[in-house]
Amino acid sequence: MAGSSSWSRALMQISPYTFASIGIAISIGVSVLGAAWGIYITGSSLIGAAIKAPRITSKNLISVIFCEAVAIYGVIVAIILQTKLESVPDSQIYAPESLRAGYAIFASGIIVGFANLVCGLCVGIIGSSCALSDAQNSTLFVKILVIEIFGSALGLFGVIVGIIMSSQATWPAKTA
Amino acid sequence: MRQPYFPLLLLNVSQSDQFLSRTFLSDTSILFHCSQIEAMAGVMQKFILASMIMWVAPMAILYGFNHHIIPGSGQLSSSSQTLLSGFLAVISVNLVIVFYIIMAMKEPANRESQPDPAFLAEAKASINQSATTTSNPDAQSRDKVE
């Protein structure tokens, strides 16, 4: 199975711990990237619009809270994933079940990281438009908030699938 | 936030009277800044409180499940413990968001940017007074030019 093609041999010789650790790093790193992107887009528009309309600041911080929640989702999943990382004895490192667990943690990290990246970006751009239009006409705020809630649900989908994926990452038992 | 001439626009002051009205500038801007700083402090307090709870609550839930502090978490299998702790943490973050939205929407809309009415009446009265006194020297200077 792994004997003929050199690529598949190379991939299967990579330790599952590598994949799992990269998954954990991506889940927190890329989530925080998305959250930071969203916060600086929203924050700069909010501060600029608040020059002429200071009343908008209290309500429009909701957009910043949505972006921060995206970062917290990444932290939650990273903590969950690192509790799933167990040591297995040397003989079992390349067993199929070990590889499966390693790939599951890797995939969970990628799912959560990239879902939160685009969610943070989406909420950031909507939040910036929300601040600018609220400064002009305060009846628009609630309508744009509905759009923002839909945008923030995207990150939630990624987190749910990532948690379900990581819950069945079981390493082989220690007794070889 | 820096709108020192806003009360002058409210009072419809003409160009010649703005010079006299600038004496009211420092008092007005102090009144503005006090109410605006109070409003901003309340907003920041709520925001910081919500952010802190948003961080602490899911961490506490995950810690409780992983170290079996929460009663009943010891009997769960590993996969269901992961699922339950993960979903409870995410739900707690969303509850804090909903709570913050409710708190933010409840705030009254136009609390700041209304200067004290007694001060406003005084300022208006003195401007009208100075308008009548300055109109006479203007007429005199026009006569001199002619």
Side-chain angles (χ1 to χ4, degrees):
Chain A
M1 173 183 51
S4 50
S5 154
S6 64
W7 275 112
S8 63
R9 255 184 88 185
L11 278 175
M12 288 175 71
Q13 296 285 353
I14 298 178
S15 161
Y17 297 141
T18 309
F19 282 113
S21 308
I22 291 179
I24 295 172
I26 289 180
S27 91
I28 177 67
V30 178
S31 293
V32 168
L33 177 63
W37 204 336
I39 290 179
Y40 82 64
I41 291 179
T42 287
S44 51
S45 292
L46 183 55
I47 292 176
I51 293 175
K52 285 289 191 176
R55 59 178 168 80
I56 65 169
T57 46
S58 57
K59 285 205 280 189
N60 283 278
L61 285 174
I62 292 176
S63 310
V64 178
I65 289 256
F66 272 129
C67 290
E68 193 178 341
V70 161
I72 291 174
Y73 294 154
V75 171
I76 292 174
V77 172
I79 293 178
I80 290 176
L81 292 182
Q82 66 90 22
T83 61
K84 288 305 220 179
L85 199 55
E86 295 168 12
S87 297
V88 292
D90 268 347
S91 56
Q92 302 271 355
I93 286 188
Y94 296 105
E97 206 170 316
S98 288
L99 293 178
R100 173 181 176 263
Y103 295 154
I105 297 178
F106 178 57
S108 173
I110 288 187
I111 290 170
V112 169
F114 285 98
N116 286 336
L117 171 65
V118 290
C119 170
L121 195 51
C122 169
V123 171
I125 294 181
I126 297 177
S128 124
S129 308
C130 186
L132 295 173
S133 56
D134 189 23
Q136 289 278 338
N137 177 3
S138 47
T139 59
L140 290 175
F141 177 75
V142 177
K143 299 174 183 136
I144 301 184
L145 194 64
V146 171
I147 303 178
E148 217 167 311
I149 291 174
F150 275 107
S152 127
L154 299 175
L156 207 53
F157 298 156
V159 168
I160 291 174
V161 173
I163 292 178
I164 294 176
M165 183 94 194
S166 71
S167 71
Q168 38 98 10
T170 47
W171 299 81
K174 293 256 166 83
T175 58
Chain B
M1 265 170 47
R2 304 283 182 270
Q3 290 185 332
Y5 294 109
F6 196 55
L8 301 175
L9 295 172
L10 274 181
L11 302 174
N12 291 325
V13 174
S14 67
Q15 285 289 83
S16 60
D17 295 327
Q18 269 185 2
F19 177 69
L20 286 162
S21 307
R22 259 175 227 163
T23 51
F24 297 115
L25 178 61
S26 55
D27 298 339
T28 320
S29 59
I30 289 173
L31 275 178
F32 256 24
H33 285 172
C34 283
S35 61
Q36 273 188 353
I37 287 174
E38 275 172 23
M40 283 308 285
V43 163
M44 284 313 293
Q45 261 180 354
K46 280 189 201 167
F47 180 70
I48 290 176
L49 186 67
S51 296
M52 283 198 321
I53 298 180
M54 214 160 67
W55 280 97
V56 166
M59 303 277 201
I61 290 176
L62 285 175
Y63 185 82
F65 270 95
N66 287 336
H67 294 263
H68 306 294
I69 295 177
I70 293 180
S73 57
Q75 286 90 29
L76 294 173
S77 70
S78 165
S79 70
S80 50
Q81 178 182 327
T82 306
L83 280 175
L84 196 59
S85 65
F87 287 145
L88 279 181
V90 168
I91 287 174
S92 76
V93 171
N94 280 294
L95 281 179
V96 173
I97 291 179
V98 166
F99 181 64
Y100 183 78
I101 290 179
I102 292 176
M103 267 203 317
M105 299 297 257
K106 265 192 185 171
E107 266 181 32
N110 292 323
R111 232 179 359 179
E112 79 289 353
S113 78
Q114 298 300 331
D116 182 31
F119 175 74
L120 201 56
E122 263 181 33
K124 243 185 185 155
S126 68
I127 284 172
N128 292 336
Q129 221 179 31
S130 61
T132 52
T133 52
T134 51
S135 60
N136 294 330
D138 282 345
Q140 281 173 16
S141 62
R142 266 183 238 128
D143 289 341
K144 281 177 197 164
V145 166
E146 284 170 11

